[in-house]
Amino acid sequence: MQTKNPPIKRIKLSFLERLYLPEIFKGMAYTFAQMFKPKFTMSYPEVKWKPKPVFRGRPVLVERADKTGERCVACGLCARVCPPLAISMQANETELPQERHPITFEINMLRCIYCGYCEEVCPEEAIVMSDEYDITYHTRQKAIMDKQQLLVPMEKVQARLDFLREYKNAVRNAAEQAVGEDAKK
Amino acid sequence: MKHEVELIDGVESLAKPKLDTATRFEKRKKIYQALEDRDTTVLVDDDDPLESTMVLNMGPSHPATHGVLRIALKLDGETIVAAVPELGYLHRAMEKLAENKTYHEWMPYSDRLDYMSPYSNNTALCLAVEKLGDFKVPERAQYIRTIACEIARISSHLLSIGSMLMDSGAVTIFLYTFQEREEIYDVFDMLTGARFTVSHCRIGGVASDISQECVDFIKNWLKEFKKKLSDWRKLVDRNRIFIERLEGVGYISKEDAIAIGLTGPNLRASGVAYDIRRAEPYMIYDRFEFNTPVLENGDCYSRYLIRMLEMEESVKIIEQALKQLPKGDVRIDNAKQAYAWKGEIYHSMEALIHDFMMTHEGLQLPKGEIYHAIEAPKGELGFYIQSDGSGFPWRLKIRSPSFCNLQALPQMVEGGMISDVVVVIGSLDPVMGEADK
């Protein structure tokens, strides 16, 4: 139960602090100083933010280097690991060197949570997170992306593939790791 | 007319179990009696014969309740006679979901618990699972986790302080703290790849290594942040308007705080020096020098001040961790405990099989049960896991700090003024994603 005088030690303010005016001026001075600081905001969508390779955007299927089709072999690992069950695929045989490929591959972008698990388990580097982030649809049906919408040429996601090789796939071999000053000794 | 009667009879026949006419008649009689009684009986509250109290609903969608918290308030004028918080508007059956997902699969769900500090939740879950399996996580991964957890703590406290000050009338500070949070999101973006739902911690390590660029960014940001933090403290700490608004409001004594089960900054503001980072150090917290700030008063002002002090300690921890950051792996090099390295998966059949097994079957943990708690920004965040030896948790219970802290709300507001409710909620800092699970 609350009372007007709970057993606490009250803060003792000095005379200057007890006057309201210095505090008000202090606050106004701090706010005024903010005006001359560089602008923090960005005029989106006129100015677009460029994500770094580390950024996890829309998941995409990577095209083969010879542009004959997708790298995916339809093993179904991404569909299994996907926490919100956004991925579905149907496997079939193909003339491509990989012998298997998905005839349908769909990602429901309304379900996708951009966790990047699909990319992490894929044994073929066939599905990676791209740098696209402003994805909108007019209908729910359009949010289900099929194979053609997901397929992108390798050059487009090269930065991400390089990042994965350096930071995720073989960290142990990286010579240049960021280490602290004390650990260098 | 006849038709209608037939229709009603038809509907009644669907009800199960079917009652015979005598029982039905008796039941109806009871209902009529109850209705009649209600008409003639006047209920008089002995304490309040003139009915001068009023019941006010606050929430569930109220800007000051920080989410979907509903509080039924009984008011006598402007004084609160009784307060009953009602939870469950954001219930998503997190614990039940966990039973149908592998540990690895469920990890992104933990982001959505306390969405002000997703990294702490990730870490808490991973630590609990690792404790059950007795995994030895590489040093570097632990340092990355510690750095990220402390940044998450700063982010959470910034929101808490900002919104609490806004609730008590100081809107500008809110904008300053949110600018800092934006910087923190940039840090998380650089470290984990996502700004908000990070999903970076993995069982057995972390998902990706920290880059030099990110380390430099954190160092630069810390320098500026320390300056800003001291500026804000100069601005707010000894401001008479602010002190008069908050001092002595929402008082809770040391004994009550322990009895109710408060944890985290709310408990330490009441004078109990209990911090899990110090009481039972997990990860590598025993290597850092930092204080556990404790304040005696237990009112809203000390709950504000303790968060400010804790942010300063967090800055110290991050600085030390960045200095000590060692070389090495960021994930366990054992395909039975964590995902194999992709470099191996591309070239070795065995690693590929492990990749498939881990995804399909999940982590093979021993039978048993485990509880592991960490000091999350809001308090003690614990995961209790019962494992039956399969890849899925048999039962997973979340001890969420916001849920337990909210228990103190009635005691903190009853007897106080109605305008203090928003400040008390702000000072308790509940996140409904975590309280409702």
Side-chain angles (χ1 to χ4, degrees):
Chain A
M1 209 65 186
Q2 298 297 309
T3 51
K4 279 205 170 152
N5 281 312
I8 56 166
K9 275 183 221 151
R10 301 253 168 199
I11 297 162
K12 292 213 168 51
L13 295 172
S14 65
F15 176 70
L16 257 182
E17 283 165 341
R18 260 183 291 140
L19 294 173
Y20 280 120
L21 287 176
E23 291 295 331
I24 288 169
F25 284 124
K26 223 160 75 181
M28 283 168 97
Y30 188 77
T31 312
F32 192 71
Q34 301 292 317
M35 272 202 271
F36 304 102
K37 295 212 168 145
K39 207 167 141 190
F40 191 75
T41 50
M42 184 188 278
S43 319
Y44 187 84
E46 284 83 29
V47 185
K48 286 222 169 170
W49 173 65
K50 180 92 184 74
K52 295 190 172 50
V54 64
F55 182 74
R56 303 196 301 253
R58 177 175 81 99
V60 293
L61 286 175
V62 186
E63 204 172 13
R64 287 171 58 84
D66 54 6
K67 314 250 180 218
T68 46
E70 62 283 326
R71 279 177 164 187
C72 179
V73 294
C75 67
L77 267 190
C78 49
R80 170 65 186 84
V81 84
C82 184
L85 314 174
I87 305 176
S88 60
M89 65 173 76
Q90 185 70 52
N92 201 6
E93 288 182 3
T94 174
E95 298 296 313
L96 291 170
Q98 75 227 36
E99 292 174 8
R100 255 164 71 93
H101 83 144
I103 39 172
T104 59
F105 192 103
E106 284 180 349
I107 301 184
N108 187 343
M109 293 309 292
L110 293 173
R111 281 185 157 236
C112 180
I113 56 169
Y114 305 89
C115 62
Y117 274 14
C118 46
E119 175 192 57
E120 205 167 294
V121 295
C122 181
E124 294 287 327
E125 268 186 1
I127 184 165
V128 295
M129 310 300 278
S130 68
D131 59 354
E132 291 165 48
Y133 56 88
D134 51 350
I135 311 154
T136 49
Y137 338 92
H138 292 286
T139 61
R140 280 170 172 270
Q141 208 51 46
K142 278 186 185 150
I144 302 171
M145 295 203 165
D146 61 14
K147 203 169 83 179
Q148 281 317 310
Q149 285 168 293
L150 290 168
L151 206 61
V152 296
M154 212 161 89
E155 298 81 54
K156 253 190 142 179
V157 288
Q158 194 58 48
R160 179 70 184 177
L161 290 172
D162 292 344
F163 164 80
L164 291 177
R165 278 183 200 143
E166 193 177 347
Y167 286 100
K168 268 195 160 170
N169 301 348
V171 174
R172 291 177 298 164
N173 303 329
E176 289 294 315
Q177 264 187 334
V179 289
E181 292 92 55
D182 291 4
K184 274 181 188 162
K185 287 165 198 168
Chain B
M1 214 46 176
K2 204 183 169 222
H3 180 70
E4 268 177 38
V5 171
E6 269 173 10
L7 198 70
I8 288 165
D9 277 346
V11 171
E12 273 183 348
S13 69
L14 287 173
K16 280 177 189 175
K18 215 167 176 179
L19 301 169
D20 60 314
T21 332
T23 337
R24 230 156 72 190
F25 183 72
E26 221 166 88
K27 279 210 164 189
R28 271 191 193 165
K29 212 176 155 190
K30 265 188 192 170
I31 293 168
Y32 289 142
Q33 191 61 46
L35 285 171
E36 273 172 23
D37 282 356
R38 211 167 157 196
D39 258 358
T40 49
T41 323
V42 180
L43 292 166
V44 180
D45 194 351
D46 289 341
D47 302 332
D48 186 24
L50 295 178
E51 289 198 334
S52 56
T53 58
M54 162 186 143
V55 174
L56 182 75
N57 260 311
M58 190 174 169
S61 45
H62 187 282
T65 53
H66 297 204
V68 277
L69 169 66
R70 175 175 166 243
I71 312 164
L73 297 166
K74 198 174 185 186
L75 303 172
D76 180 9
E78 278 204 58
T79 315
I80 292 159
V81 182
V84 181
E86 195 183 313
L87 287 82
Y89 287 92
L90 202 59
H91 180 64
R92 292 153 297 172
M94 286 282 206
E95 292 169 354
K96 192 69 192 167
L97 265 173
E99 291 167 23
N100 299 300
K101 303 251 172 218
T102 63
Y103 296 100
H104 184 249
E105 248 182 302
W106 194 73
M107 210 279 300
Y109 286 84
S110 69
D111 282 328
R112 278 102 184 141
L113 282 173
D114 175 2
Y115 40 77
M116 290 304 128
S117 58
Y119 213 105
S120 309
N121 309 333
N122 290 177
T123 313
L125 174 72
C126 291
L127 283 174
V129 176
E130 281 155 14
K131 195 174 173 186
L132 181 61
D134 199 16
F135 297 171
K136 291 271 173 295
V137 180
E139 292 258 298
R140 191 177 169 82
Q142 298 201 10
Y143 272 93
I144 294 173
R145 279 181 188 178
T146 312
I147 293 166
C149 277
E150 291 307 314
I151 294 176
R153 186 185 312 279
I154 294 178
S155 155
S156 168
H157 282 357
L158 278 177
L159 178 105
S160 158
I161 285 174
S163 51
M164 182 184 172
L165 278 155
M166 190 174 69
D167 290 344
S168 56
V171 186
T172 353
I173 293 281
F174 178 72
L175 299 173
Y176 299 150
T177 57
F178 262 62
Q179 186 180 333
E180 259 347 87
R181 273 172 63 80
E182 178 65 31
E183 299 259 358
I184 287 172
Y185 283 154
D186 284 348
V187 172
F188 276 131
D189 189 15
M190 237 179 258
L191 174 66
T192 68
R195 290 157 58 78
F196 200 65
T197 46
V198 291
S199 307
H200 186 246
C201 224
R202 295 281 185 277
I203 293 153
V206 291
S208 61
D209 197 7
I210 191 168
S211 62
Q212 185 63 49
E213 190 193 5
C214 181
V215 171
D216 295 339
F217 188 88
I218 297 175
K219 278 180 183 167
N220 285 335
W221 167 73
L222 275 180
K223 259 182 230 158
E224 280 176 36
F225 177 67
K226 273 196 283 187
K227 211 181 137 283
K228 279 185 187 165
L229 198 60
S230 68
D231 278 353
W232 300 339
R233 286 199 62 189
K234 267 183 225 156
L235 207 62
V236 185
D237 269 14
R238 294 185 73 77
N239 187 319
R240 182 177 158 195
I241 307 164
F242 183 61
I243 290 173
E244 279 176 7
R245 179 78 183 83
L246 263 71
E247 204 178 33
V249 170
Y251 169 77
I252 189 156
S253 70
K254 198 172 173 175
E255 293 74 28
D256 287 345
I258 294 171
I260 283 172
L262 284 185
T263 44
N266 297 329
L267 179 68
R268 292 192 285 277
S270 289
V272 186
Y274 178 67
D275 186 330
I276 303 173
R277 289 175 294 172
R278 276 283 179 246
E280 328 166 29
Y282 54 94
M283 288 205 293
I284 44 166
Y285 276 108
D286 45 354
R287 297 183 198 175
F288 304 124
E289 279 174 27
F290 65 97
N291 307 321
T292 309
V294 180
L295 296 174
E296 297 297 325
N297 278 356
D299 57 353
C300 281
Y301 181 77
S302 34
R303 282 196 285 276
Y304 150 78
L305 194 60
I306 200 130
R307 293 203 165 87
M308 280 286 189
L309 296 169
E310 271 191 19
M311 283 201 280
E312 285 173 5
E313 299 305 320
S314 288
V315 169
K316 275 189 210 167
I317 295 174
I318 298 168
E319 277 176 344
Q320 289 173 46
L322 281 176
K323 250 187 198 166
Q324 296 174 16
L325 187 68
K327 239 183 174 102
D329 292 351
V330 293
R331 216 183 305 158
I332 298 179
D333 190 14
N334 179 349
K336 294 252 188 265
Q337 296 179 347
Y339 273 104
W341 294 98
K342 287 295 269 298
E344 278 175 28
I345 292 170
Y346 298 146
H347 301 116
S348 127
M349 194 64 203
E350 203 187 335
L352 187 67
I353 292 167
H354 275 128
D355 189 33
F356 271 79
M357 286 299 285
M358 185 76 98
T359 309
H360 279 285
E361 308 287 324
L363 210 57
Q364 299 303 308
L365 288 170
K367 263 187 194 176
E369 49 193 276
I370 207 87
Y371 177 76
H372 190 275
I374 70 157
E375 182 73 24
K378 310 271 185 305
E380 178 182 336
L381 173 65
F383 280 90
Y384 172 72
I385 300 172
Q386 270 193 337
S387 160
D388 58 352
S390 69
F392 302 83
W394 191 78
R395 175 85 172 92
L396 189 142
K397 168 89 179 74
I398 308 158
R399 192 264 183 220
S400 54
S402 296
F403 178 71
C404 298
N405 287 353
L406 269 175
Q407 288 185 96
L409 188 68
Q411 195 165 355
M412 282 180 184
V413 297
E414 277 170 17
M417 308 296 278
I418 186 168
S419 58
D420 292 342
V421 178
V422 283
V423 188
V424 170
I425 296 172
S427 76
L428 265 179
D429 189 23
V431 163
M432 297 319 287
E434 191 178 51
D436 293 345
K437 288 172 256 188

